[in-house]
Amino acid sequence: MHVEVAIVGGGIYGTAAGYFISKAGIRVALVEEGAIGNGGATAFSRGIVRVYDPDPVLASLSLAGSFEFNHWEELGYPGLPPYRRTGCLYRVAPDHHDAAIRLTKELQGSGYCFEWLTSVQLASRFPFIRTAPADLAIWEPDSGYGDPRLASENLAAASKTQGAVIYERCRAGAIDRGPGYWRISLPYGSITAQVLLLAGGAATRRLLPLLPIVTRSIGLLYMESGTMILQPAVPVIDEITGTYIRPLENGGYYCGTQVMEQADSPGDLRGFGEDHLTDASLRVQQLLKSSYTGRAVNGFIGFDAYTSNYRPLIGFMTGYEDLFVATGFSGRGFKYAMALSKGIAGQIGSRLGYNLQFPEMHPAFYSPEKVF
């Protein structure tokens, strides 16, 4: 099979890019080792969508990405909206207060709403949080959390109706470069393409071993609510205790641990252990009042590809005008997946001689080549 664009990786970035590229009438083939949306970081992501980030570049990308999820239906994206707007609370560490206030003032110029809460306001509106007199927190009413698997499945299904070919449970083997094309070896055949997009997350390093990314574990503990259910049920990011909460519809929640490991590939990571359980439990006990804490039910290890500065590794590879890489999202990628994938599609389309324009892009969006 010969196509204009071959994509390796069926997570949120591979499927979103495939959706935008195929929508323009460009012939696309996507190869996914497992099932669409059910492997790699996409499968483990809890999908928190928020805007504030201490890094101004990532905050701007998050602002553009948040716009996409908050306007899923208006933008004509496929399937049920994979996003639940609940608001998000971000408690800022004391030594970061001044920088955070400056950045949120800048971002508010784009029309996004940030509300600063003092310790007294925090205790009143979020009674499940342990507070201290010096606390300052950011409340984002237009944030929330999504379902990365559902988003990937919806985008892949729509891509098929637009002419894309998708190979699930199909491992990409050797990748060879010929004159004007790339060849991807599959178990019983191959695909050739004019442009190759590698969007396999941490697995991308298997195909390009010299990429400056590492696989890092992300431990998640599933907690059953205590005698009192968290209300309002919103995501909480807490710089002070170093944990976060992602609520579940049944009253439980996920929380995080700071026990992390680095490895060359996901297969080298160990499973969830007692040290993960102890660390995550202690951190959530420092964050929540005891009547809300609940008990641990399950724990598991997710992972993602990390870069040294947490910014994605995204763009055409130096020396290869037809090889595009999108990886290194450092556990933060879902919230700006749709916005960045428009930029990816635009660059790849331009390389093929197409003019892909997305006039509905949020004004905060920066094209990948401008940022990274």
Side-chain angles (χ1 to χ4, degrees):
M1 172 178 284
H2 180 75
V3 295
E4 291 175 277
V5 180
I7 301 172
V8 177
I12 185 61
Y13 276 87
T15 55
Y19 169 77
F20 290 120
I21 294 170
S22 64
K23 189 175 182 180
I26 299 172
R27 181 71 166 159
V28 174
L30 186 150
V31 179
E32 165 55 38
E33 185 173 350
I36 292 295
N38 286 268
T42 298
F44 290 103
S45 172
R46 300 301 93 188
I48 296 177
V49 175
R50 58 184 171 87
V51 170
Y52 174 73
D53 189 287
D55 183 335
V57 170
L58 298 184
S60 294
L61 290 177
S62 299
L63 180 58
S66 173
F67 174 84
E68 302 288 321
F69 285 109
N70 275 292
H71 296 83
W72 187 273
E73 292 178 300
E74 297 96 308
L75 293 171
Y77 293 150
L80 294 174
Y83 175 67
R84 183 181 180 91
R85 187 188 303 171
T86 61
C88 181
L89 183 70
Y90 190 110
R91 185 162 65 171
V92 183
D95 55 345
H96 295 166
H97 286 176
D98 292 342
I101 291 171
R102 286 194 299 270
L103 180 55
T104 53
K105 285 182 178 179
E106 293 175 10
L107 294 170
Q108 280 179 318
S110 297
Y112 190 79
C113 179
F114 295 98
E115 182 181 351
W116 279 89
L117 305 180
T118 64
S119 177
V120 173
Q121 293 169 320
L122 185 61
S124 174
R125 292 175 57 174
F126 300 92
F128 52 86
I129 300 287
R130 293 182 184 273
T131 59
D135 279 347
L136 274 178
I138 302 168
W139 171 242
E140 300 182 19
D142 292 329
S143 291
Y145 58 90
D147 185 338
R149 294 187 191 183
L150 177 61
S152 299
E153 291 165 358
N154 288 347
L155 292 164
S159 297
K160 289 181 182 180
T161 68
Q162 295 167 175
V165 179
I166 296 179
Y167 297 98
E168 293 185 85
R169 308 186 194 285
C170 185
R171 183 180 174 89
I175 295 179
D176 305 301
R177 193 167 191 243
Y181 67 86
W182 290 91
R183 176 182 286 112
I184 307 170
S185 297
L186 305 179
Y188 302 105
S190 64
I191 297 172
T192 58
Q194 292 171 249
V195 175
L196 174 61
L197 166 59
L198 297 181
T204 306
R205 200 174 181 192
R206 175 176 67 85
L207 301 172
L208 291 177
L210 297 181
L211 284 178
I213 58 174
V214 296
T215 299
R216 180 180 292 180
S217 63
I218 303 173
L220 284 164
L221 185 63
Y222 173 26
M223 301 289 290
E224 193 176 61
S225 288
T227 56
M228 302 179 71
I229 297 175
L230 305 183
Q231 290 293 343
V234 303
V236 178
I237 314 294
D238 187 31
E239 289 186 347
I240 296 173
T241 60
T243 190
Y244 57 89
I245 286 175
R246 194 283 210 179
L248 292 166
E249 288 74 10
N250 63 3
Y253 60 91
Y254 290 102
C255 61
T257 171
Q258 290 298 314
V259 177
M260 300 175 181
E261 295 180 312
Q262 291 188 180
D264 289 333
S265 67
D268 296 328
L269 297 172
R270 66 184 176 95
F272 196 90
E274 287 295 323
D275 52 344
H276 298 99
L277 173 63
T278 300
D279 183 79
S281 298
L282 287 174
R283 291 179 189 278
V284 80
Q285 288 168 21
Q286 294 168 355
L287 173 63
L288 300 182
K289 294 178 180 178
S290 58
S291 57
Y292 292 91
T293 302
R295 67 183 182 91
V297 176
N298 186 32
F300 57 91
I301 294 294
F303 59 85
D304 202 358
Y306 278 70
T307 61
S308 59
N309 62 2
Y310 302 110
R311 295 182 182 179
L313 180 65
I314 185 168
F316 283 103
M317 293 292 292
T318 302
Y320 295 93
E321 62 181 14
D322 47 10
L323 174 59
F324 199 102
V325 172
T327 185
F329 293 98
S330 305
R332 296 159 169 79
F334 177 67
K335 54 184 170 289
Y336 32 77
M338 297 301 288
L340 263 183
S341 292
K342 285 182 177 179
I344 293 170
Q347 287 194 71
I348 290 176
S350 178
R351 191 57 53 93
L352 291 167
Y354 296 89
N355 183 20
L356 276 61
Q357 295 185 355
F358 304 101
E360 72 278 12
M361 285 293 292
H362 190 278
F365 177 74
Y366 293 93
S367 60
E369 74 271 16
K370 185 177 179 181
V371 177
F372 305 108

